[in-house]
Amino acid sequence: MKKTLLIVMVVAVLGGLGGYMLIQNDSNESAAQTESQNQTRDRSTLASDYPDGIYTSDVAETLYGDVQISIAITSGKISDVQYLKMPDKDDGRSRQLTAMSKPLLKATTLDKQSDQIDFVTGATSTSYGYQESLQSALDKAFEAIRS
């Protein structure tokens, strides 16, 4: 009986350790992949790498409406953001969140000089759409380098 109990405990401990090691390995690989993607994205989205000009994004669809922006790059820096389309549903709450988020999104863009912006609390969907639009505009600026 004691031998059986000992064997069961050893198998349980080893199985638990094996599972833990598997999770740790997956977690480390996932973290390494994410870090690599972030480094690639950070390098590719810094405005100082882009030529001066005005770049208009593609339209990004969100749950509350479309987002489209244009950015001005001057002396290698994002100098302005113009809103061409922003979520504007008929309800007052959507309009209120859009009005609140626009200056905050613009300010964080001008501060960070990349698409790695701070999201606006309460306007997460709009923030995602804005970030997608910002990346699209920066991608177009990158294409201008290659042309």
Side-chain angles (χ1 to χ4, degrees), residues 88-138:
D88 192 17
K89 292 242 178 188
D90 292 334
D91 66 345
R93 181 74 175 143
S94 178
R95 288 183 180 159
Q96 180 184 20
L97 288 173
T98 295
M100 174 198 63
S101 66
K102 286 167 68 172
L104 297 172
L105 292 168
K106 182 176 181 174
T108 191
T109 299
L110 297 175
D111 180 51
K112 302 272 181 158
Q113 291 294 307
S114 77
D115 70 335
Q116 302 300 306
I117 59 164
D118 297 328
F119 280 28
V120 176
T121 302
T124 305
S125 180
T126 299
S127 296
Y128 273 114
Y130 176 85
Q131 185 181 45
E132 185 179 328
S133 289
L134 179 56
Q135 179 60 53
S136 170
L138 290 171

Side-chain angles (χ1 to χ4, degrees), residues 40-59 68-74 76-81 105 108-117 129-147:
T40 300
R41 188 170 191 176
D42 286 345
R43 281 195 306 271
S44 69
T45 58
L46 293 175
S48 62
D49 295 339
Y50 302 116
D52 291 355
I54 296 176
Y55 303 96
T56 301
S57 73
D58 294 332
V59 174
Q68 185 178 32
I69 64 168
S70 70
I71 59 171
I73 297 179
T74 307
K77 292 188 173 237
I78 301 173
S79 58
D80 194 23
V81 175
L105 292 168
T108 191
T109 299
L110 297 175
D111 180 51
K112 302 272 181 158
Q113 291 294 307
S114 77
D115 70 335
Q116 302 300 306
I117 59 164
Y130 176 85
Q131 185 181 45
E132 185 179 328
S133 289
L134 179 56
Q135 179 60 53
S136 170
L138 290 171
D139 287 345
K140 289 182 180 191
F142 181 71
E143 290 171 13
I145 293 172
R146 298 186 338 184
S147 298

Side-chain angles (χ1 to χ4, degrees), residues 14-41:
L14 290 176
L17 283 175
Y20 173 77
M21 295 300 287
L22 234 150
I23 291 169
Q24 282 296 99
N25 191 29
D26 286 348
S27 176
N28 289 341
E29 287 176 8
S30 178
Q33 283 178 329
T34 300
E35 182 62 25
S36 174
Q37 289 170 346
N38 285 342
Q39 287 175 350
T40 300
R41 188 170 191 176

